[in-house]
């Protein structure tokens, strides 16, 4: 007997073409009422092969429009999009990265202590693990309307899908300001809510 979640009318097409069942947060998102002009409305594909403006196949799709030869799977793996924030306590996250050198920034503030916080990216195809290097040249900027501070540099030698694992998250400490006097009176941002940005 199928659960209520499995009976939900929509599924999700990942960028590798696989189709999966939705989790409870995604179902709640799709059941939320949005104004027609609201940019936060979910993107729902009209057919399986439809691509986004940046030529990606991902998106929500009505269950009835999944091709007969494609299995709808149950998985906890979720794909992150490059240049969108990823919570440091998020699990089962994967990201597709082309060859290149990337900055990893922590969002929320400009006073940052990394400690033993680290990130590992494992290539799903060949199992090779890449560990970004902590940088001492910490450029501050604004990303997605938030304060961002570069904490690591990531060198991707081979295009692929990488599984993300965070370690020692409690060591990452962030305050909004990097001004000495302001920092003395500021509280650290809640560690559980910290996010990184890869770009």
């Amino acid at each position: 007997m199928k659960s209520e979640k499995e009976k939900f009318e929509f599924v999700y097409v990942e960028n590798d073409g696989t189709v999966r069942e939705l989790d409870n947060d995604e179902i709640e998102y799709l059941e939320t009422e949005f104004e027609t002009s609201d940019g936060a409305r979910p993107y729902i594909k009209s057919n399986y092969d439809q691509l986004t403006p940046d030529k990606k196949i991902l998106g929500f799709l009505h269950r009835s429009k999944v091709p007969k030869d494609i299995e709808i799977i149950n998985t906890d793996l979720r794909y992150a999009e490059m240049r969108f924030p990823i919570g440091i306590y998020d699990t089962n996250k994967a990201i597709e990265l082309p060859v290149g050198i990337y900055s990893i920034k922590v969002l929320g503030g400009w006073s940052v202590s990394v400690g033993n916080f680290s990130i590992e990216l494992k290539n799903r195809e060949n199992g090779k693990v890449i560990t970004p290097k902590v940088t001492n040249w910490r450029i501050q900027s604004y990303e997605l309307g938030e304060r961002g501070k570069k904490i690591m540099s990531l060198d991707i030698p081979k295009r692929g899908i990488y599984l993300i694992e965070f370690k020692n998250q409690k060591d990452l400490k962030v305050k909004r300001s990097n001004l000495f006097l302001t920092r003395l009176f500021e509280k650290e941002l809640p560690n559980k809510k910290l996010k990184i940005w890869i770009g």
Side-chain angles (χ1 to χ4, degrees), residues 25-137:
D25 288 342
E26 290 167 323
I27 291 172
E28 184 179 339
Y29 173 51
L30 285 178
E31 290 179 333
T32 302
E33 289 187 24
F34 291 92
E35 295 293 329
T36 309
S37 59
D38 193 334
R41 284 184 308 139
Y43 165 66
I44 298 176
K45 294 154 59 78
S46 59
N47 61 68
Y48 174 81
D49 294 313
Q50 181 180 354
L51 301 179
T52 61
D54 56 350
K55 306 297 183 197
K56 294 183 178 179
I57 198 171
L58 54 78
F60 294 104
L61 180 67
H62 197 277
R63 183 182 294 274
S64 66
K65 297 188 177 179
V66 177
K68 300 283 186 209
D69 59 335
I70 294 180
E71 179 187 4
I72 301 171
I73 62 173
N74 275 302
T75 177
D76 292 329
L77 184 65
R78 296 292 178 266
Y79 287 84
E81 281 292 297
M82 196 166 69
R83 296 188 174 88
F84 280 88
I86 304 168
I88 65 170
Y89 285 90
D90 287 355
T91 56
N92 299 310
K93 283 281 188 182
I95 189 167
E96 184 176 2
L97 293 170
V99 173
I101 297 174
Y102 300 87
S103 295
I104 297 180
K105 299 180 183 182
V106 63
L107 301 180
W110 288 336
S111 175
V112 177
S113 172
V114 175
N116 289 319
F117 171 70
S118 65
I119 306 170
E120 285 187 356
L121 292 99
K122 183 178 182 180
N123 187 301
R124 202 173 73 167
E125 182 184 335
N126 60 24
K128 183 176 179 182
V129 174
I130 297 172
T131 303
K133 294 179 181 175
V134 175
T135 179
N136 293 320
W137 188 249

